[in-house]
Amino acid sequence: MERTKVVVCGATGMVGQIYVAMLSDHPWFELVGVAASERSAGKQYGDVARWYIQGDIPARARNMTILPCTADAIAATGATLVFSALPSDVAGPVERSLADAGVAVVADTASHRMDADVPLIVPEVNADHLEALSLQRKGGKRGFIVTGPNCSTAGLVLSLKPLQLAFGIRRVIVVTMQALSGAGYAGVPSMAIIDNLIPYIKGEEEKMECETQKMLGSWMDGAFQPANIPVSASCNRVAVLDGHTESVLVELDRPASPEEVESVMRSFQGEPQRLHLPTAPDHPILVRSESDRPQPRLDRLAGEPARARGMAAVVGRVRSDPAFATGIKYTVLSHNTIRGAAGNAVLTAELLAAKDLL
Ligand code: NAP
């Protein structure tokens, strides 16, 4: 099978580097270009990227000349699929111009997440929302935009979906402890975070609250119907490099024991597992029984097979909550730049390919 040619926009950043690593030997996608800001364009990727992933920069990307993020430069590579990891304030118009030029755009950025015709996807949770692409493709257009959620929403919705299916959900209260890489390379100065935590992340709580409702809702009669589930989020930045940890309290519609909750989480699978997509973890949720897990250092790279490392959410400390008759609380951890960004987007692109939507 001929591989789909892809370009990564924002390839030098925290998320962009994960793309470069994941795409350097991908069976379905061929990395043909890396793009970044005008500051980097024209330079060699290996000279500019401040590589933070264990191991060397993949040979394929090291000597690539960085492109500007323009439709013309990207079209010249022959790419028909672009992964966008641009800063939110520049992503909106760039992604739109690429889609208008006929390119499939899979984005990690916030700009188009809540658009009425843009699917916001975690493939195990709401693959059916891809039906919204028919709106974007009206009139025979080839290009489109699909997005993934905020990094802290990804792990949350993965853990909530099996509960919604099995027991129904009345409300969700979540407190996050989010890693530094979630703020980008230049995000949080070391003097602000060492020996400290910061109990505020701009815009994050609002994103978690509305994105969760969109993703747990349905696509019906040509529109997204958000789930009627109030979500209350409190977001904190902590001195962890990678991996967002979240304390979650869920009020269920029907009572369930911790054992029943663990059981539905353990057996949960979605479209990626049914379709055997290359980056799909065998089990999207791993449940730990130890009382002190999950932990970022130990659990952030969970997921089998090897290509799916960092794609599984890890849940632990599942217990009943004394404040709500049908309350369940637990801790969930997911890797913010893999499941919360690049890995989720690569899996989404695999889903698009498997459904013949690319
Ligand atoms: P980052 O480390 O700051 O990287 C930003 C990237 O965008 C770099 O490649 C940078 O290139 C490029 N860029 C900056 N300004 C540009 C411009 N004007 N035109 C074109 N390219 C430009 O950020 P990040 O953490 O990877 O995040 C990227 C996006 O993903 C953001 O929208 C973020 O909200 C989203 N996201 C991040 C995470 C996470 O965990 N980090 C998770 C989910 C979603 P230069 O090197 O040339 O400056």
Side-chain angles (χ1 to χ4, degrees), residues 211-268:
E211 290 175 15
T212 300
Q213 291 175 332
K214 181 172 179 179
M215 299 183 71
L216 294 181
S218 54
W219 170 258
M220 219 192 306
D221 303 328
F224 292 109
Q225 314 290 339
N228 183 19
I229 299 174
V231 180
S232 165
S234 302
C235 296
N236 305 284
R237 186 75 67 196
V238 298
V240 165
L241 288 179
D242 291 311
H244 290 352
T245 310
E246 305 176 12
S247 295
V248 188
L249 165 55
V250 186
E251 187 184 8
L252 301 170
D253 275 340
R254 294 184 293 287
S257 68
E259 293 72 28
E260 288 171 308
V261 165
E262 288 187 0
S263 167
V264 297
M265 285 182 169
R266 274 201 182 96
S267 56
F268 176 63

Side-chain angles (χ1 to χ4, degrees), residues 10-16 36-37 39-40 69 85-88 90 108-109 113 149 151 181-185 336-337 340-341:
T12 52
M14 307 301 285
V15 174
S37 75
R39 296 180 291 280
S40 306
C69 294
L86 296 170
S88 292
V90 297
D108 295 307
T109 60
R113 282 185 194 142
C151 41
S181 60
Y185 193 91
N336 51 296
T337 53

Side-chain angles (χ1 to χ4, degrees), residues 8-19 35-41 45 48-50 52 66-70 84-91 94-95 107-111 113 148-152 154 178-187 204 207 237 241-244 335-342:
V8 175
C9 280
T12 52
M14 307 301 285
V15 174
Q17 293 185 25
I18 301 279
Y19 277 120
S37 75
E38 291 295 344
R39 296 180 291 280
S40 306
Y45 186 77
V48 174
R50 284 180 287 198
Y52 85 110
I66 296 177
L67 305 167
C69 294
T70 61
S84 168
L86 296 170
S88 292
D89 54 341
V90 297
V94 173
E95 290 164 3
D108 295 307
T109 60
S111 314
R113 282 185 194 142
N150 182 273
C151 41
S152 48
Q178 298 182 216
L180 296 173
S181 60
Y185 193 91
E204 197 85 348
K207 285 182 204 160
R237 186 75 67 196
L241 288 179
D242 291 311
H244 290 352
H335 197 300
N336 51 296
T337 53
I338 302 180
R339 174 55 89 164

Side-chain angles (χ1 to χ4, degrees), residues 320-340:
S320 298
D321 184 82
F324 293 92
T326 56
I328 281 287
K329 51 187 178 178
Y330 59 87
T331 304
V332 62
L333 168 81
S334 68
H335 197 300
N336 51 296
T337 53
I338 302 180
R339 174 55 89 164

